[in-house]
Amino acid sequence: MFSFILRRIAVVIPTFIGVTLLAFALIHMIPGDPILVMMGERQIDPEFYRAAMQRLGLDQPLYVQYGHYVLNVLQGNFGQSIVTQEPVLSEFLKLFPATVELSLCAMMFACAIGLPAGMLAATRRGTVIDHVTMGGALTGYSMPIFWWGLILIMLFSVHLGWTPVSGRIALEYDINPVTGFMLIDTLISGEEGAFKSALHHLVLPAVVLGTIPMAVIARMTRSAMLEVLREDYIRTARAKGLGRTRIVIVHALRNALMPVVTVIGLQVGTLLAGAVLTETIFSWPGIGKWLIDSISRRDYPVVQGGILLIATLVISVNLLVDILYGVINPRIRHAR
Amino acid sequence: MSLLDIRNLNVSFGSTAQPFHAVSGLDLTVNRGEIVGIVGESGSGKSVTMLAMMGLVDAPGRVTADALQFNGQDLLGMKAAQKRKIIGKDIAMIFQDALTSLNPAYTVGFQLMETLKLHTPLRGAALRRRALELLEQVEIPDAKSRLEAYPHQLSGGMSQRVMIAMAIACEPKLLIADEPTTALDVTVQAQIMELLVNLQKQNEMALILITHDLAVVAEVAQRMVVMYAGEVVESSATDALFATPRHPYTQALLASIPEHSKGARRLSTLAGVVPGQYDRPQGCLLSPRCPYVTDTCRSTKPALLPLMGTSVRCLTPLDSSGIPTHE
Ligand SMILES: Nc1ncnc2c1ncn2[C@@H]1O[C@H](COP(=O)(O)OP(=O)(O)O)[C@@H](O)[C@H]1O
Ligand code: SF4
Ligand SMILES: [Mg+2]
């Protein structure tokens, strides 16, 4: 098992190097002079200009710059925001829990609906239930996030008034960020109504963000289940006298889950891309909104560092999925 | 009273307008402690017959029968939940491809104990002890560590032993072995057959041995049923069948034994294959391939009729010198 994990980690190292190259190149792809663009001014004191060049290391040859950059990154130094003067990493870490909370809830929603829907469609193959479920999944998959978000806001927030339109919690609450997860922090704070308020704020964005993964999971679960239900060992399970429910849950689902888990893992990239939009629609103070704001503020070190951090995140999650895959599937774990 | 009594079993697939009769008008009785061989080329309907009897043929497949009695109980009118108490306990089945018949996600122990938990009150240490005992009974070396093994860590022969252990776990009255050795090496084949026959004697269970290779069952089965294109074409005691095959198809099967043992898939003695859904002939189903075919055979469907202690479905059954009996 240990060597299996080591081998998986070795595989992602080249990917990671590629990502650092890309993030590094970003600052050089800005059209025009990076300093001038960042300062957004034309008349700059030459002395100040030289100092800025030096501070950012832009007067060095490219390979030296890259070397410095990688060294910095390895030490956890992802640059500094030119707007707030704060280190990119600490800004990221401050906002990251909000995105994780939103994404986790979106994923939970996606799995809670997608897995049973896919199983139901597979076991009722060819029936009305199957067609309705898969039709719904296709609709969900093709839903543009921005439009879907606005529709839900109009219905639930504006028309029905059930949920708030933006933010993580009502302004009247001042919650101490212990874990960074609002749902947990509100519980810790013990403030009456705080948890409910946080939940109300979370529901719509989580549903919007989870819709596409839900559709993907439902479709994947269905096709994986159909495949597995044809296997010889399902016939064996039936010949043992096992009931239908046990066969589906214990014998089929476990095997069908392997491709589904992979798909769930691969959805993390989609999820983060979706988070950028969702956070913008719902003014959710996470890294997606942070990244968009930084772009409009031309805070390039933040954009550069943010992209690198997000890429690292996606790589790590994919790695985790790979390892998890080996845990459920003994054949992969034991492969030499 | 016999242990298993199947009368006029019909299984069809496809649309009701154009059904494909995978099994038609099949009668079969098996007595307690008896070994019955069911032979026929692949596609003859051997597996479907057994799956239908166990209630494992799903819609849109259709199963009908005049009688389906096991151990004095009527399987036909029985509710599915009731039937599941018999299936896997009193009637067990093993299959051709043991490697794919075990669930790759669970250990041997899990799958073995699952059967025991379902049909017996055994739990905890006693359950584990019984599982171990079963693995030892099917002569798996180092049984204790095999309990924790996953199917992909086993060889084909070893997986089939595990399947057998699972099948005999609740000491069934009837074991159905569907081509249990077809996927295995020749040396392993003999070991598995020996194991099956020994277990059959020890447990006094009835054994239905399904195969497309007559040689496999020749020495062990008391009775043989020969199937062709979903029908029984001959049924008789094993020694009588070998001494005087009455049906041209049986004769061809016997003549092909040497090649079969070498692993041949097709019958060299009979050109062509078992007709499928769209090429079933009128009249006798064997007529396109039969060396003794007459014009009558092509238009008249022969019935399964008794003949000197056996049953034969042929208009001109063979006599003791292997020649058709034209009147
Ligand atoms: N689920 C099914 N749907 C349609 N046709 C089937 C199905 N199962 C078996 N058949 C057909 O029934 C015939 C008999 O199959 P089978 O019993 O497996 O033959 P055997 O076991 O003698 O090799 C074959 O023509 C096969 O294609
Ligand atoms: S009825 Fe005719 S075709 Fe059929 S097996 Fe007998 S001799 Fe051959
Ligand atoms: Mg078969």
Side-chain angles (χ1 to χ4, degrees):
Chain A
M1 190 72 212
F2 188 64
S3 77
F4 165 80
I5 294 175
L6 280 185
R7 263 177 292 136
R8 293 287 121 174
I9 292 177
V11 171
V12 301
I13 289 175
T15 319
F16 185 74
I17 293 175
V19 170
T20 58
L21 270 172
L22 213 67
F24 171 73
L26 184 80
I27 210 113
H28 295 277
M29 287 190 294
I30 304 163
D33 189 305
I35 305 270
L36 293 185
V37 172
M38 278 187 271
M39 299 307 157
E41 287 175 31
R42 300 224 171 265
Q43 255 80 57
I44 276 187
D45 175 28
E47 194 57 35
F48 179 84
Y49 182 88
R50 238 203 11 253
M53 281 290 263
Q54 224 164 29
R55 187 159 54 84
L56 294 170
L58 292 174
D59 52 350
Q60 307 273 338
L62 273 185
Y63 65 90
V64 177
Q65 288 185 34
Y66 178 67
H68 277 300
Y69 174 67
V70 171
L71 272 181
N72 277 332
V73 164
L74 286 179
Q75 291 164 7
N77 181 1
F78 289 82
Q80 204 177 42
S81 162
I82 46 179
V83 176
T84 62
Q85 302 301 328
E86 272 211 56
V88 172
L89 186 62
S90 69
E91 285 203 348
F92 177 88
L93 290 178
K94 220 179 330 172
L95 298 171
F96 185 52
T99 300
V100 173
E101 184 173 42
L102 175 62
S103 304
L104 274 182
C105 291
M107 208 30 128
M108 278 196 278
F109 163 77
C111 290
I113 308 281
L115 283 175
M119 283 166 64
L120 194 70
T123 50
R124 305 273 189 280
R125 183 189 194 176
T127 64
V128 178
I129 297 179
D130 183 18
H131 296 312
V132 169
T133 321
M134 284 306 111
L138 192 64
T139 315
Y141 186 71
S142 356
M143 200 78 82
I145 288 189
F146 218 90
W147 184 80
W148 180 224
L150 292 179
I151 291 282
L152 289 187
I153 287 179
M154 296 235 291
L155 181 63
F156 289 104
S157 307
V158 179
H159 190 68
L160 294 171
W162 288 355
T163 57
V165 188
S166 71
R168 291 180 84 183
I169 191 158
L171 290 172
E172 69 214 63
Y173 299 104
D174 186 19
I175 303 297
N176 185 27
V178 183
T179 61
F181 294 131
M182 196 56 90
L183 287 181
I184 300 176
D185 288 342
T186 48
L187 282 180
I188 294 175
S189 78
E191 267 191 67
E192 206 176 323
F195 178 76
K196 208 172 141 200
S197 168
L199 200 61
H200 268 139
H201 280 78
L202 183 63
V203 168
L204 273 198
V207 168
V208 168
L209 185 55
T211 298
I212 289 177
M214 175 196 73
V216 174
I217 289 169
R219 291 175 70 82
M220 193 64 211
T221 306
R222 176 180 181 273
S223 70
M225 280 298 277
L226 283 179
E227 199 151 302
V228 166
L229 285 171
R230 274 196 294 269
E231 295 281 351
D232 285 350
Y233 52 78
I234 297 298
R235 185 185 55 193
T236 306
R238 298 180 68 194
K240 279 177 169 182
L242 294 172
R244 189 188 171 86
T245 315
R246 176 153 179 116
I247 290 175
V248 169
I249 306 275
V250 176
H251 285 269
L253 186 61
R254 174 84 176 253
N255 288 288
L257 269 186
M258 292 172 198
V260 175
V261 166
T262 314
V263 164
I264 292 178
L266 295 177
Q267 287 302 304
V268 170
T270 316
L271 211 58
L272 285 174
V276 174
L277 285 176
T278 312
E279 289 182 2
T280 309
I281 306 172
F282 291 93
S283 301
W284 187 266
I287 52 171
K289 185 167 176 294
W290 172 60
L291 212 57
I292 293 287
D293 291 348
S294 308
I295 290 172
S296 55
R297 281 192 218 123
R298 303 188 169 210
D299 196 344
Y300 288 102
V302 169
V303 177
Q304 187 185 34
I307 284 176
L308 181 61
L309 283 165
I310 291 175
T312 309
L313 196 72
V314 174
I315 294 174
S316 313
V317 172
N318 284 350
L319 178 71
L320 214 66
V321 170
D322 243 14
I323 291 171
L324 201 63
Y325 197 76
V327 173
I328 341 181
N329 188 345
R331 242 178 312 192
I332 289 190
R333 190 189 330 144
H334 292 135
R336 293 284 138 198
Chain B
M1 195 186 56
S2 43
L3 178 67
L4 177 67
D5 190 4
I6 301 177
R7 253 172 294 146
N8 193 23
L9 176 73
N10 291 283
V11 184
S12 54
F13 296 105
S15 65
T16 29
Q18 267 191 316
F20 170 63
H21 298 283
V23 179
S24 33
L26 179 132
D27 296 336
L28 177 71
T29 57
V30 178
N31 297 315
R32 280 161 214 283
E34 186 185 30
I35 302 186
V36 176
I38 301 185
V39 295
E41 288 164 281
S42 84
S44 303
K46 308 181 297 289
S47 303
V48 170
T49 300
M50 289 303 133
L51 292 173
M53 186 269 286
M54 294 175 77
L56 298 184
V57 169
D58 288 322
R62 295 173 295 280
V63 179
T64 62
D66 290 349
L68 216 56
Q69 292 253 326
F70 173 77
N71 201 22
Q73 292 163 291
D74 176 27
L75 293 179
L76 259 187
M78 198 178 275
K79 288 226 172 65
Q82 189 65 30
K83 214 186 284 182
R84 283 203 300 269
K85 295 202 172 119
I86 300 177
I87 304 296
K89 180 171 179 281
D90 295 325
I91 306 176
M93 186 160 177
I94 60 172
F95 305 95
Q96 170 168 342
D97 204 340
L99 276 176
T100 56
S101 294
L102 290 168
N103 193 324
Y106 297 100
T107 61
V108 165
F110 177 93
Q111 298 184 56
L112 191 50
M113 288 188 264
E114 182 180 42
T115 306
L116 287 167
K117 261 207 261 194
L118 184 66
H119 296 294
T120 70
L122 292 176
R123 294 293 179 270
L127 178 69
R128 212 185 146 74
R129 220 176 306 121
R130 173 70 180 143
L132 201 61
E133 189 181 288
L134 282 164
L135 287 189
E136 278 159 3
Q137 211 177 339
V138 295
E139 293 155 26
I140 287 182
D142 198 11
K144 203 168 217 153
S145 70
R146 294 292 183 191
L147 276 180
E148 314 311 329
Y150 284 92
H152 72 273
Q153 296 168 312
L154 306 176
S155 66
M158 213 50 89
S159 325
Q160 195 58 288
R161 284 175 195 273
V162 171
M163 284 295 291
I164 295 173
M166 256 157 56
I168 62 165
C170 307
E171 302 183 336
K173 298 184 176 66
L174 172 64
L175 174 63
I176 302 161
D178 189 352
E179 312 245 8
T181 62
T182 306
L184 304 175
D185 295 340
V186 179
T187 47
V188 185
Q189 281 186 10
Q191 293 167 11
I192 295 286
M193 276 310 298
E194 198 188 311
L195 174 67
L196 276 174
V197 173
N198 284 343
L199 289 170
Q200 183 267 337
K201 283 207 197 86
Q202 281 167 30
N203 295 7
E204 294 172 356
M205 60 184 180
L207 177 62
I208 296 181
L209 258 178
I210 299 177
T211 176
H212 63 271
D213 182 1
L214 262 179
V216 168
V217 285
E219 285 152 38
V220 296
Q222 283 111 41
R223 278 194 308 122
M224 305 272 252
V225 174
V226 182
M227 281 187 75
Y228 184 77
E231 294 177 340
V232 174
V233 294
E234 180 164 3
S235 147
S236 96
T238 306
D239 36 7
L241 187 108
F242 272 79
T244 36
R246 298 293 182 182
H247 197 279
Y249 184 63
T250 314
Q251 188 185 47
L253 282 180
L254 283 172
S256 72
I257 285 184
E259 294 108 80
H260 256 322
S261 314
K262 286 194 219 102
R265 279 281 166 170
R266 298 273 282 272
L267 285 180
S268 61
T269 44
L270 220 52
V273 291
V274 183
Q277 176 158 15
Y278 302 105
D279 51 0
R280 287 251 173 110
Q282 304 253 297
C284 177
L285 292 174
L286 189 66
S287 57
R289 305 173 72 193
C290 182
Y292 310 112
V293 62
T294 64
D295 284 345
T296 331
C297 303
R298 295 203 175 89
S299 54
T300 315
K301 236 178 129 13
L304 187 68
L305 295 172
L307 176 81
M308 294 191 272
T310 72
S311 305
V312 188
R313 190 188 293 275
C314 176
L315 296 173
T316 56
L318 307 176
D319 65 15
S320 50
S321 47
I323 297 165
T325 50
H326 290 284
E327 53 270 85

